[in-house]
Amino acid sequence: MKAIVCPRYGSPDVLRLEEVDTPAPRDDEVLIAVRAASVNAADCHLMRGEPLIMRLAMGLRGPKYAILGADVAGRVVSVGKNVTRFQPGDEIFGDISDCGFGAFAEYVCAREAKLLPKPANLTFEQAAAVPMAAVTALEGLRGAGGLQAGQRVLILGASGGVGSFAVQLAKALGAEVTAVCGTGKQDMVRSLGADHVIDYTREDVTRTGHPYDLILDAAAYRSIFDFKRALSPTGTYVLAGGSTGSLFQAMLLGPLVSSSKGRKFRNYLSMPNREHLTFVKELLEAGKVVPFIDRSFPLSEVPDAIRHLEARRTRGKVVITS
């Protein structure tokens, strides 16, 4: 089969389209004919081996997983002897990052426990855009953020992969949503259901005079301390992604500046979660959440797709088609 192989840490230039052996499913796995995948920041981190501390788990000298790609949508080709949920021909989707990645290929194996039936109202490309970004958004809002209906929510990076799902999920959970994005993306963000939209190039979102119960930061290119004045007295700031410096700042200093009864500053590590993805799937099937796809690239152009994502000009998700 054809696959994009990452033989060493580096820029997208290290990626190669190669012929490799088609994997065989283990007893609890299914073999998937990949119809679509999507690019996430996790793929970029794994490709570059950054931040360096992640190499302790992902390989000191080179990537532990040679084939990137966490989000997958496709058809089941064959199943292991212990698989009970799926059979050949079933259309599935899911986040396989803790199955060894591997979606940037024509075929991949994954444990059945990490997969769900693909929503019938979504294309393979749309389904592949969902798992990691949508679950990350949900866990930031409802888990780390403790979102309740009626709360005022500020979402930074609202036009990106995680942010575009966060806007829709926050609305579905009953919040009043203010979305922050760059010039030229306001109409796209409004189409996702945001109640208010702020262009960060024209207005300082921390000085609007409107306190927020929850701030979900999917951009994280400002100090977390800047957002203290934008929180309500019992508000929560949640860091969902962004620069390495901001991530470490939130991890190390967030607990120190949080108050047991007042403002809280949190970050979290999102993991594949079948229950959370099932919740998102129900919203997808009800039409309350719709994946927004920026661009699609063929498998052979994964390096260009990653460059496009790293340029930070995307609207929604970047998808790979096989």
Side-chain angles (χ1 to χ4, degrees):
M1 69 173 186
K2 291 183 175 63
I4 294 292
V5 176
C6 182
R8 63 185 186 279
Y9 292 127
S11 72
D13 294 337
V14 306
L15 302 177
R16 296 287 183 268
L17 180 65
E18 297 183 3
E19 291 280 348
V20 301
D21 292 336
T22 301
R26 297 175 181 173
D27 291 348
D28 62 344
E29 292 182 336
V30 303
L31 175 64
I32 305 163
V34 180
R35 292 291 303 275
S38 72
V39 183
N40 292 283
D43 299 305
C44 304
H45 291 309
L46 183 58
M47 176 189 71
R48 294 182 180 275
E50 297 174 351
L52 294 178
I53 193 172
M54 73 174 289
R55 298 191 185 189
L56 295 175
M58 294 299 182
L60 290 174
R61 297 186 178 182
K64 180 179 179 180
Y65 305 117
I67 302 174
L68 309 178
D71 290 333
V72 65
R75 284 194 175 92
V76 175
V77 175
S78 61
V79 302
K81 66 179 183 179
N82 294 333
V83 172
T84 60
R85 293 191 180 105
F86 302 107
Q87 60 186 2
D90 287 349
E91 298 180 351
I92 54 82
F93 78 128
D95 175 355
I96 59 172
S97 57
D98 62 356
C99 299
F101 289 78
F104 295 164
E106 292 180 317
Y107 297 91
V108 66
C109 288
R111 296 192 299 277
E112 69 166 335
K114 301 300 177 181
L115 303 170
L116 289 176
K118 180 182 74 67
N121 60 328
L122 297 190
T123 66
F124 286 106
E125 290 82 2
Q126 289 175 316
V130 172
M132 182 174 281
V135 169
T136 297
L138 180 63
E139 292 178 350
L141 292 168
R142 197 171 63 174
L147 178 62
Q148 300 294 319
Q151 289 187 323
R152 293 169 56 92
V153 178
L154 180 71
I155 297 173
L156 295 101
S159 61
V162 172
S164 61
F165 283 112
V167 171
Q168 298 179 78
L169 289 168
K171 286 296 298 179
L173 292 169
E176 179 184 340
V177 178
T178 298
V180 182
C181 61
T183 303
K185 298 180 179 179
Q186 295 96 323
D187 289 343
M188 172 256 182
V189 173
R190 287 191 185 93
S191 74
L192 301 176
D195 298 291
H196 317 283
V197 179
I198 294 175
D199 181 346
Y200 70 85
T201 68
R202 299 180 179 181
E203 186 175 1
D204 185 343
V205 298
T206 71
R207 297 182 181 277
T208 62
H210 301 295
Y212 297 96
D213 301 299
L214 172 61
I215 297 175
L216 182 73
D217 192 349
Y221 280 86
R222 291 184 62 162
S223 168
I224 64 172
F225 301 109
D226 291 346
F227 294 100
K228 190 171 183 179
R229 56 179 171 261
L231 284 171
S232 68
T234 57
T236 301
Y237 169 92
V238 177
L239 181 60
S243 70
T244 300
S246 296
L247 291 171
F248 277 109
Q249 183 190 64
M251 180 176 65
L252 298 174
L253 300 180
L256 298 178
V257 297
S258 295
S259 168
S260 60
K261 296 183 180 179
R263 298 179 179 92
K264 296 177 176 63
F265 294 81
R266 295 172 173 166
N267 68 336
Y268 66 102
L269 179 62
S270 179
M271 299 293 291
N273 187 301
R274 183 184 175 88
E275 179 183 349
H276 293 171
L277 185 57
T278 299
F279 178 80
V280 172
K281 179 175 182 278
E282 293 170 354
L283 295 176
L284 291 163
E285 291 172 332
K288 295 181 179 180
V289 173
V290 179
F292 195 101
I293 296 176
D294 178 84
R295 282 185 62 182
S296 296
F297 293 80
L299 179 63
S300 60
E301 295 179 12
V302 164
D304 290 333
I306 292 179
R307 291 186 189 98
H308 184 63
L309 180 69
E310 290 188 327
R312 297 182 57 81
R313 292 191 294 268
T314 59
R315 302 183 185 197
K317 291 287 295 179
V318 177
V319 172
I320 306 300
T321 56
S322 298

